[in-house]
Amino acid sequence: MSTVSAPADDGAGGLAGFRRNVWWALAGTVACVLGFAVGDWVLDPGVHPGLRAVTGLATAATIVACAVLLGRRMRDEPASAGWLVTACGAAVLAGAVPLAAGNFGIWSIAPAATIAVLVMFLPPRRAWQALAAALVVLPAVGVATALAAGEPHVGHAAWMPALMVVAFGPAMLGMLRGWQVAARLDDARRMAGRLAVADERLRFAADLHDIQGHHLQVIALKSELAARLAEADPARAAEQMREVQQLAGDALRETRALVQGYRRTTLSAEISNASRVLTAAGVTVRTDVDADLAAALPEAPRGLLGLVVREATTNLLRHSRATRAAFVLLPEDAGARLVIDNDGASPGGPSAGDGTGLVSLAERLAAVGGRLSWAGEDGRFVVTATVSA
């Protein structure tokens, strides 16, 4: 299996898109509820124009301030003091004017929405305590104002603020909790990718240690014995050194065999290992591989296709934001065609470089009569390699 790096969140993947969707849902809820509920009163020609103007401006300021604060909360940034003051002041004004004018239905909407946004910056327990306090304070303010104004039916002044707190608060905190769970799952996905890479490195290191450790220990002992025999029995010392030379040669051959086995595994195994690493990184993988065709390919083309699988997998993990990938190996003419497709093409394409980059692999495939091409379009990136049997 090739050594690859775990994917990094470049800020443009599915998690960033989900964050934007959550923000739009939260900010859109505040804007729509305030816009429709308060806007109807603001546009009422029976209301004094001055009161309508003040309420409309205060409501608009509340919506903007809440949207900004929601954006900061979704990015895990602290609340800005300026926007906090703006949100609180605008919400108080947007509620106080209708309340003073005797509208006990809409006055609590802006304050309740703002309180729901502000408690998102608190720890969960304190957030729920703040909502419970708002559930008591806002209805109390409504009832007290209604009684002071001589309103005969104070029930509306009590249940409407309570309804707004219950509607806004749990919904806001619930969507925030959903976002936090998604962020943790994304961290776990990336950690799984890194652990898969680390696991493969440990496996290779353990195999190398088993080979080198045994031979080096015996070489050290025989070298020490040969040093002691050098003067007393030169013939035995020379024999020991010949054995040391043989052990060193055996260690070198076994090390080369290990590295070749690590680098020259079968094509089917390469695709299987790539699929395992990508799945651990959260990518849905589909494979359609003709195993008999892969086994029948000559060693050189098969090895190059294996390198293509590794390079494409490495590029996918390091540079793309793919959620789906496919490996397809099918017969073509007298050879085979390998297609590696993913849905996370990033701006720009792979650049030429040393080692096993796509450009270098294209040259090596061309030398054995094959062909390698790649293209990114409409968010997809496709690598296609063809070889002759």
Side-chain angles (χ1 to χ4, degrees):
M1 186 183 77
S2 60
T3 301
V4 293
S5 297
D9 186 3
D10 58 2
L15 188 64
F18 180 58
R19 179 173 58 194
R20 286 191 299 270
N21 291 339
V22 173
W23 179 86
W24 275 111
L26 293 171
T29 299
V30 173
C32 289
V33 174
L34 266 67
F36 283 111
V38 181
D40 187 57
W41 188 76
V42 169
L43 297 176
D44 186 356
V47 180
H48 189 279
L51 298 180
R52 290 192 289 157
V54 172
T55 304
L57 291 174
T59 301
T62 302
I63 293 172
V64 173
C66 286
V68 173
L69 290 172
L70 285 169
R72 296 183 68 89
R73 183 62 187 89
M74 298 303 298
R75 296 190 299 271
D76 288 326
E77 298 175 358
S80 168
W83 285 110
L84 280 175
V85 172
T86 301
C88 293
V92 169
L93 189 58
V97 174
L99 184 62
N103 191 318
F104 299 102
I106 68 167
W107 78 271
S108 60
I109 299 178
T114 304
I115 290 171
V117 171
L118 296 183
V119 299
M120 295 174 70
F121 289 91
L122 299 176
R125 184 174 181 180
R126 292 181 60 190
W128 288 107
Q129 290 173 347
L131 287 178
L135 193 59
V136 174
V137 172
L138 288 184
V141 171
V143 170
T145 305
L147 291 174
E151 176 69 25
H153 305 290
V154 298
H156 189 62
W159 70 259
M160 189 63 180
L163 177 62
M164 289 298 100
V165 173
V166 171
F168 276 113
M172 294 283 190
L173 293 178
M175 295 187 72
L176 174 64
R177 176 63 177 168
W179 156 250
Q180 291 172 333
V181 170
R184 292 193 185 103
L185 289 175
D186 188 69
D187 289 339
R189 174 188 65 82
R190 290 188 284 115
M191 180 61 71
R194 288 193 291 267
L195 289 176
V197 173
D199 180 67
E200 176 61 17
R201 289 172 176 168
L202 287 174
R203 184 198 66 79
F204 181 75
D207 291 344
L208 185 62
H209 175 270
D210 290 342
I211 292 174
Q212 297 283 10
H214 170 74
H215 286 295
L216 289 175
Q217 185 177 15
V218 177
I219 287 172
L221 292 174
K222 286 189 172 291
S223 298
E224 182 180 358
L225 178 60
R228 293 176 180 178
L229 295 174
E231 295 182 1
D233 192 344
R236 287 187 61 194
E239 181 182 353
Q240 293 296 322
M241 291 309 299
R242 283 192 292 271
E243 292 183 10
V244 167
Q245 183 181 14
Q246 181 180 357
L247 285 169
D250 291 343
L252 181 60
R253 283 190 296 273
E254 291 183 24
T255 300
R256 286 174 176 170
L258 173 65
V259 173
Q260 289 173 352
Y262 181 74
R263 291 180 176 173
R264 296 182 183 177
T265 185
T266 65
L267 178 58
S268 297
E270 283 287 355
I271 295 175
S272 176
N273 289 335
S275 176
R276 183 166 63 89
V277 171
L278 292 176
T279 299
V283 180
T284 301
V285 180
R286 178 179 64 86
T287 59
D288 183 5
V289 178
D290 188 329
D292 294 336
L293 174 63
L297 289 173
E299 181 178 351
R302 184 173 67 246
L304 287 175
L305 289 182
L307 293 178
V308 171
V309 171
R310 292 180 190 170
E311 181 64 20
T313 302
T314 300
N315 288 342
L316 193 155
L317 287 171
R318 287 180 176 171
H319 307 303
S320 84
R321 48 183 183 273
T323 59
R324 290 181 175 81
F327 295 85
V328 179
L329 180 70
L330 298 172
E332 181 171 288
D333 297 334
R337 173 166 54 92
L338 172 66
V339 179
I340 305 172
D341 185 359
N342 72 77
D343 64 351
S346 57
S351 58
D354 299 329
T356 58
L358 291 178
V359 174
S360 175
L361 285 172
E363 296 173 353
R364 296 175 65 180
L365 276 167
V368 296
R371 185 173 68 256
L372 177 65
S373 63
W374 57 90
E377 185 178 357
D378 296 331
R380 295 177 62 232
F381 190 78
V382 182
V383 178
T384 304
T386 58
V387 294
S388 300

